[in-house]
Amino acid sequence: PQRSGKITVNPLDGDFIVRQQSSRRPQNIIDQFFGGGYEEVKVKLRSKPLTIEVMPLPEANKQTNFEGAVGNFSFKTSLSKDKVKANEAINLAITITGKGNLKLIDPVKVNFPEDFETYDPKVTQDLSSTNGMGGSKTFDYLIIPRHEGDYKIDNLSFSYFDPAKKEYVVLPSPEFTIHVDKGDLKDVNASVYTPRNQAEVKVLGDDIRYIKTNTPEFKSTEDYFFNSIPF
């Protein structure tokens, strides 16, 4: 449910085949011995509507970083490396595991340093709907520090509402310190290429195509050397 109040689930209906005893005289001796024959009859069945009362989430003690996660979860963060050179990519992985509305959980907001180039996270999930929604959901952030120095990724946490305890829970992440050395000279003019989306990024430093100042020569795509006079 996406809102509080009384919500009605519409009835379900369907056509079914029922095998029932026939009132007509049995046609064979076996049906006569067992007291009659059977026939298949199509019937239409319809369930009763269901009314669900959805309680609103409490406003007391609601965290500022609460984004609607409801259930029972654990929270894990990891950094691929904490010592890099400028323009070298780093991955920050955030994994949420447990039971609840995992599908509706949005990417966790991270306060990255201003000198970091960041991209939308790549989201992977392993979910199961047995006995409620459960599994894990991972947000993989690609970050690229552009200048040397020491940086911190802090104040990172995940907040959810636990319906069993009827209270909000905050799971903190450890603070990450990243040391960035000066990049190689060949990486100064590195560019970022996104083939399909910003979650899949390649750093290109050696294949920059510079502006051409001469007049290019064009050739028609319909010109073939095969069967031509020079051939």
Side-chain angles (χ1 to χ4, degrees), residues 109-143:
K109 295 181 180 179
V110 184
N111 295 321
F112 291 109
E114 293 183 356
D115 288 340
F116 281 23
E117 188 167 343
T118 61
Y119 299 88
D120 295 335
K122 179 180 179 181
V123 182
T124 57
Q125 54 188 17
D126 182 14
L127 305 178
S128 173
S129 58
T130 304
N131 297 324
M133 181 64 65
S136 64
K137 194 170 187 177
T138 300
F139 305 97
D140 194 350
Y141 294 83
L142 181 76
I143 52 181

Side-chain angles (χ1 to χ4, degrees), residues 81 87-92 116-123 140-146 190-205 207:
K81 43 193 170 183
N87 302 312
E88 186 178 346
I90 308 173
N91 288 90
L92 173 66
F116 281 23
E117 188 167 343
T118 61
Y119 299 88
D120 295 335
K122 179 180 179 181
V123 182
D140 194 350
Y141 294 83
L142 181 76
I143 52 181
I144 303 176
R146 290 305 188 189
S191 61
V192 176
Y193 168 65
T194 55
R196 286 187 296 272
N197 53 59
Q198 288 186 330
E200 301 177 6
V201 178
K202 291 177 60 179
V203 180
L204 309 178
D207 56 354

Side-chain angles (χ1 to χ4, degrees), residues 104-184:
L104 302 179
I105 295 179
D106 294 326
V108 178
K109 295 181 180 179
V110 184
N111 295 321
F112 291 109
E114 293 183 356
D115 288 340
F116 281 23
E117 188 167 343
T118 61
Y119 299 88
D120 295 335
K122 179 180 179 181
V123 182
T124 57
Q125 54 188 17
D126 182 14
L127 305 178
S128 173
S129 58
T130 304
N131 297 324
M133 181 64 65
S136 64
K137 194 170 187 177
T138 300
F139 305 97
D140 194 350
Y141 294 83
L142 181 76
I143 52 181
I144 303 176
R146 290 305 188 189
H147 303 94
E148 60 181 310
D150 292 312
Y151 302 91
K152 288 184 178 180
I153 299 177
D154 52 10
N155 298 323
L156 178 59
S157 62
F158 172 67
S159 175
Y160 69 92
F161 180 77
D162 191 330
K165 298 179 180 179
K166 298 183 179 180
E167 63 182 17
Y168 291 95
V169 179
V170 180
L171 302 178
S173 166
E175 179 181 278
F176 295 105
T177 301
I178 303 174
H179 177 73
V180 182
D181 290 325
K182 185 177 181 180
D184 296 333

Side-chain angles (χ1 to χ4, degrees), residues 215-226:
T215 303
E217 295 182 1
F218 297 100
K219 185 174 71 172
S220 175
T221 57
E222 297 180 356
D223 290 342
Y224 297 99
F225 179 68
F226 182 72

